[in-house]
Amino acid sequence: MSPRRVTLAEVAEHAGVSRTTASLVLAGRARELRISQSVEQRVVEAARELAYRPNAMSVGLRTGMSRTLGFVSDTVATSRLAGDMIKGALEAAREQGLMLFIGETEGEADLERGLLQAMHDRQVDGIIFASMFTRAVKVPAALTAGPAVLLNAVPKRTSPLSSVVPDEVEAGRSAARVLLEAGHRDGIHLIGAGPRLRDVPPEALAGVQRLTGISEVLAGARVRIAGGHVCVDWQPEHGYEATRQLLEDTRPRALICLNDRLAVGAYQALDDVGLKVPSDVSVISFDDHPVASWIRPKLTTVALPHYDLGHKAVEVLLAEIDRNREGTPPRGETYRVSMPVRTRDSVAAPDA
Amino acid sequence: MSPRRVTLAEVAEHAGVSRTTASLVLAGRARELRISQSVEQRVVEAARELAYRPNAMSVGLRTGMSRTLGFVSDTVATSRLAGDMIKGALEAAREQGLMLFIGETEGEADLERGLLQAMHDRQVDGIIFASMFTRAVKVPAALTAGPAVLLNAVPKRTSPLSSVVPDEVEAGRSAARVLLEAGHRDGIHLIGAGPRLRDVPPEALAGVQRLTGISEVLAGARVRIAGGHVCVDWQPEHGYEATRQLLEDTRPRALICLNDRLAVGAYQALDDVGLKVPSDVSVISFDDHPVASWIRPKLTTVALPHYDLGHKAVEVLLAEIDRNREGTPPRGETYRVSMPVRTRDSVAAPDA
DNA sequence: TCAGCTTGCTAACTCGATTTAGCAAGCGGC
DNA sequence: GCCGCTTGCTAAATCGAGTTAGCAAGCTGA
């Protein structure tokens, strides 16, 4: 794009000094280089009058810092589910005067390689490697060439990269506590997976961790999980079918749906047989998808902290960039972001 | 980011030629500058062996083309509603070897100005200025300094910028046609706005245009719109209340909900009084939000072509960039992208 | 043999900013 | 007056790539 811009050379000429002097003044180094107040004033004034803004490409080429970050993910920006992750990252970046390049791989290795290359070609200061669903990832070699952070992902193998993930175990504990606090002691069923840990595919990290937390708290209260219904995928249809099957066998008092879309399906199945939420059956879930507040009654759910995840990832990445500049090795730490309970209308005391 | 990269100078040295020669060869200008086949071969081989990739910052500084585009919107990337717009844009850009900077303004003028500046500082080749909801926008002055395109927006005043928008009028026609084709001739009610055009706020562009198309086709078939229910916002709660009120007065045969979230609410209200979709009341709607295929029965809806909108915007922007490079004035055209009907299960012939 | 043309490359400059070494002028002390 | 130090700036080089003018060598025709 070629719209005319004011160059530093023009500012220098306007102020009647060399480009070097102008550069040093605007970089805040006037004192250090013993430039007089009057020259400094002239430069600052000229820059203001001419509305000078540095060309970021030029600065980047000279300094090796482009003031841009890369955000590479499978489908975060485009899946309609985790937009707040991007939002959090965008805001954290903006606060520091940085811009974000977005790239989506759809999980394809070739696309991923091309994107990482394109970002490195553009000299990004660092890269956030994000996953739509919490999972363990194979860290691409190209990613460790410079500062990078995993977002909503943990490395499959030992890696120098730090991770930022939701605290899913604690979320499971929270969900169980909500039911216990409402008075539920039996008839608690899982929709989506369980009741044993081995009923969850190990790659479904969120499921494993949610169930871990749920089991821990219920066991601690000597409450048994009455049953679990495995779903091959966590969409409304699967929640509907699982709940239909459950209702053929028994009358549940509470459902822990492993995500909100499963809960949508559970609501539909309960409605089909005339059971009311929450007077007949309480429902608690995870994610806080917008649909949670569209269904009636509104769903109590433990929220994925997308915004905070994205924001934290940028913070951690910036720390890694600083570390890299100082020649310090990467931190390789896992940061867990807590998941708040969104209390709505789907949980009540068990009926008699 | 400072990981070691191979420079053109290193390729030249490896091939035993000048940097100029190496540059000309890799730019495909060997023939034009009469460089021998053997020299050309040596350069190409050296570049391959050394895995040379040009530094995009350097190329950008020298050529004035950064091979990046800006995407500025209110809340498109982060609202969870229009992710496919970004996806379409990302894919169109990737096909051309370009990358996308994303920035969100939340409709704040200061943020908007800062973002446009940041993108210009980084020498973006052009900018897509997008809106989450179809609307008329005040085009920021900074935007017309170089190639730019409006996406899901039209300019409030005459502007040199082209627009890419969904064809909402034709979408309204499609929706009406679906009902006519199912046999509906009366008892057709609108949920969200209407029945007259003046019942829609003029700034709710999609509403005005959808209603225009609906009215046109129904009038052409001599079918009256039985009634319309204005909603201050188009969320499920509003659809629920409007439909509840409607059901207190009359028994509708078909509902045209002005978007899918209103339809969610309408479904809930119909369920409350034991009316079945579609046997008792057909429902058609707009947008094709994911929830359309979660509710039961699945909703027939006229889809917003987010992916195609985003893709088209990049295409149009690239044409504008070429035009700008040739010194040709911007096109200033409006491109309407058609909205396909997603036929599901919510429309049937009227009952007796 | 000489002049003009062709071939095949290179030196130098450019893009816009930053960085570093160093120079000139002035001052103070011996 | 001379030398060393301080002040206040600048020239030159750098970052990595692209662009343009031009030079040297060789060939051909008169």
Side-chain angles (χ1 to χ4, degrees):
Chain A
M1 185 141 95
S2 53
R4 269 285 302 143
R5 290 170 66 91
V6 175
T7 64
L8 182 75
E10 284 167 303
V11 172
E13 186 178 7
H14 199 82
V17 298
S18 72
R19 285 175 299 164
T20 308
T21 300
S23 179
L24 293 166
V25 167
L26 296 179
R29 296 176 69 189
R31 290 291 70 71
E32 179 189 334
L33 272 294
R34 305 166 331 217
I35 296 171
S36 70
Q37 298 262 42
S38 78
V39 164
E40 183 181 2
Q41 206 90 307
R42 282 194 343 250
V43 172
V44 169
E45 189 62 26
R48 200 190 55 76
E49 271 183 45
L50 298 178
Y52 167 69
R53 293 186 63 83
N55 179 329
M57 305 284 280
S58 177
V59 175
L61 181 59
R62 186 60 183 80
T63 63
M65 299 299 293
S66 67
R67 308 292 291 167
T68 64
L69 306 178
F71 188 105
V72 177
S73 78
D74 43 11
T75 57
V76 169
T78 57
S79 71
R80 308 199 193 195
L81 294 172
D84 275 359
M85 219 185 275
I86 298 274
K87 183 174 178 173
L90 283 174
E91 288 215 10
R94 185 179 49 78
E95 283 160 16
Q96 303 297 328
L98 302 175
M99 292 217 66
L100 222 47
F101 277 123
I102 305 284
E104 303 258 311
T105 64
E106 315 261 354
E108 289 187 35
D110 281 353
L111 264 199
E112 185 179 278
R113 191 178 321 113
L115 268 179
L116 290 174
Q117 278 182 340
M119 287 179 180
H120 283 136
D121 290 347
R122 286 167 178 75
Q123 308 284 100
V124 290
D125 299 337
I127 295 181
I128 292 169
F129 191 76
S131 174
M132 172 64 247
F133 297 107
T134 313
R135 59 189 175 111
V137 291
K138 179 178 184 307
V139 176
L143 198 53
T144 52
V149 169
L150 299 180
L151 174 59
N152 210 25
V154 291
K156 270 180 179 166
R157 304 244 193 74
T158 302
S159 166
L161 301 191
S162 293
S163 296
V164 178
V165 292
D167 192 346
E168 297 276 4
V169 176
E170 186 59 34
R173 292 188 195 117
S174 298
R177 282 193 205 113
V178 167
L179 290 185
L180 292 181
E181 277 156 25
H184 289 273
R185 294 293 179 275
D186 52 18
I188 297 174
H189 292 257
L190 296 170
I191 302 289
R196 293 158 306 184
L197 271 182
R198 64 176 177 262
D199 296 320
V200 198
E203 64 274 6
L205 222 46
V208 173
Q209 291 174 354
R210 288 174 183 180
L211 191 49
T212 300
I214 290 163
S215 302
E216 186 187 302
V217 167
L218 292 185
R222 300 180 190 270
V223 172
R224 252 182 21 91
I225 297 171
H229 299 73
V230 179
C231 301
V232 296
D233 193 9
W234 289 358
Q235 300 291 341
E237 278 185 25
H238 303 101
Y240 180 73
E241 286 308 325
T243 310
R244 287 288 303 253
Q245 276 175 30
L246 169 63
L247 293 171
E248 281 169 15
D249 297 336
T250 189
R251 208 346 266 292
R253 303 297 168 168
L255 299 182
I256 303 181
C257 299
L258 288 187
N259 84 358
D260 294 339
R261 276 162 298 165
L262 290 174
V264 168
Y267 268 50
Q268 290 163 347
L270 293 172
D271 186 56
D272 281 358
V273 297
L275 288 177
K276 296 293 177 190
V277 178
S279 47
D280 300 327
V281 185
S282 289
V283 183
I284 187 162
S285 178
F286 296 87
D287 287 355
D288 197 30
H289 185 282
V291 76
S293 53
W294 299 345
I295 55 182
R296 294 180 153 267
K298 298 169 193 280
L299 182 62
T300 295
T301 181
V302 190
L304 275 170
H306 285 129
Y307 181 91
D308 292 339
L309 283 170
H311 201 282
K312 184 73 183 176
V314 171
E315 284 170 33
V316 173
L317 181 59
L318 293 182
E320 292 296 340
I321 289 166
D322 282 347
R323 201 178 291 277
N324 180 272
R325 212 190 291 129
E326 290 158 14
T328 313
R331 193 72 179 266
E333 189 120 22
T334 301
Y335 299 85
R336 294 186 191 282
V337 181
S338 65
M339 297 172 68
V341 178
R342 298 279 189 251
T343 305
R344 293 194 183 95
D345 304 320
S346 63
V347 175
D351 57 358
Chain B
M1 186 137 96
S2 53
R4 268 285 304 144
R5 288 171 69 90
V6 175
T7 62
L8 182 75
E10 284 167 302
V11 172
E13 185 178 9
H14 199 82
V17 299
S18 74
R19 285 175 299 161
T20 306
T21 301
S23 179
L24 293 167
V25 168
L26 296 180
R29 295 176 70 189
R31 288 294 70 70
E32 182 191 334
L33 273 295
R34 303 167 330 219
I35 297 170
S36 68
Q37 297 263 42
S38 77
V39 163
E40 182 180 2
Q41 207 90 310
R42 286 198 337 255
V43 171
V44 168
E45 189 62 26
R48 200 192 54 79
E49 271 183 45
L50 298 178
Y52 167 70
R53 295 186 60 85
N55 178 326
M57 305 282 284
S58 177
V59 175
L61 180 60
R62 185 61 183 78
T63 63
M65 299 300 291
S66 67
R67 307 294 291 169
T68 62
L69 306 177
F71 190 104
V72 178
S73 77
D74 43 9
T75 58
V76 168
T78 57
S79 71
R80 309 199 193 193
L81 293 171
D84 275 358
M85 220 187 269
I86 297 278
K87 183 173 178 172
L90 284 174
E91 289 215 9
R94 184 177 53 76
E95 282 160 17
Q96 303 297 326
L98 302 175
M99 294 218 65
L100 223 46
F101 277 123
I102 304 283
E104 303 258 312
T105 64
E106 315 263 355
E108 290 187 34
D110 281 351
L111 263 200
E112 185 179 278
R113 193 180 315 115
L115 267 178
L116 291 175
Q117 278 182 343
M119 287 181 180
H120 285 135
D121 290 347
R122 285 168 176 76
Q123 307 284 101
V124 291
D125 297 338
I127 295 180
I128 293 169
F129 190 76
S131 175
M132 172 65 247
F133 297 106
T134 313
R135 58 190 177 112
V137 293
K138 180 179 184 307
V139 176
L143 197 53
T144 53
V149 169
L150 299 180
L151 173 57
N152 210 23
V154 291
K156 272 180 176 163
R157 303 244 194 75
T158 303
S159 167
L161 302 190
S162 292
S163 295
V164 178
V165 293
D167 192 345
E168 297 277 6
V169 176
E170 187 59 33
R173 291 187 194 117
S174 297
R177 280 190 206 115
V178 168
L179 290 185
L180 291 181
E181 277 155 26
H184 288 276
R185 293 294 181 273
D186 54 17
I188 297 173
H189 291 256
L190 296 170
I191 302 291
R196 294 157 306 185
L197 270 184
R198 64 175 179 262
D199 295 320
V200 198
E203 64 274 4
L205 222 46
V208 172
Q209 291 174 356
R210 287 172 186 182
L211 191 50
T212 299
I214 291 163
S215 301
E216 185 186 305
V217 168
L218 293 184
R222 299 180 190 270
V223 172
R224 250 183 21 91
I225 296 169
H229 300 74
V230 178
C231 299
V232 296
D233 193 8
W234 289 358
Q235 299 292 342
E237 281 184 23
H238 304 100
Y240 180 74
E241 287 305 327
T243 309
R244 286 288 303 252
Q245 276 176 31
L246 168 64
L247 293 170
E248 283 170 13
D249 296 336
T250 190
R251 206 350 265 287
R253 303 298 167 166
L255 299 181
I256 303 181
C257 299
L258 288 184
N259 84 358
D260 295 337
R261 278 164 294 166
L262 290 174
V264 169
Y267 267 50
Q268 290 164 345
L270 294 172
D271 187 55
D272 282 359
V273 299
L275 289 177
K276 295 293 176 193
V277 177
S279 48
D280 299 326
V281 185
S282 289
V283 182
I284 186 161
S285 179
F286 296 87
D287 288 354
D288 196 30
H289 184 283
V291 76
S293 55
W294 298 345
I295 55 182
R296 300 178 112 32
K298 297 172 194 277
L299 183 62
T300 296
T301 182
V302 190
L304 275 171
H306 286 130
Y307 180 91
D308 292 339
L309 283 170
H311 200 284
K312 184 71 182 179
V314 170
E315 285 171 31
V316 173
L317 181 57
L318 293 183
E320 291 297 339
I321 289 167
D322 283 346
R323 203 178 291 274
N324 182 271
R325 210 190 291 127
E326 289 159 15
T328 313
R331 193 73 180 265
E333 189 120 25
T334 300
Y335 299 86
R336 294 187 193 281
V337 181
S338 65
M339 298 174 67
V341 178
R342 297 278 189 252
T343 304
R344 293 194 183 98
D345 304 320
S346 63
V347 175
D351 57 359

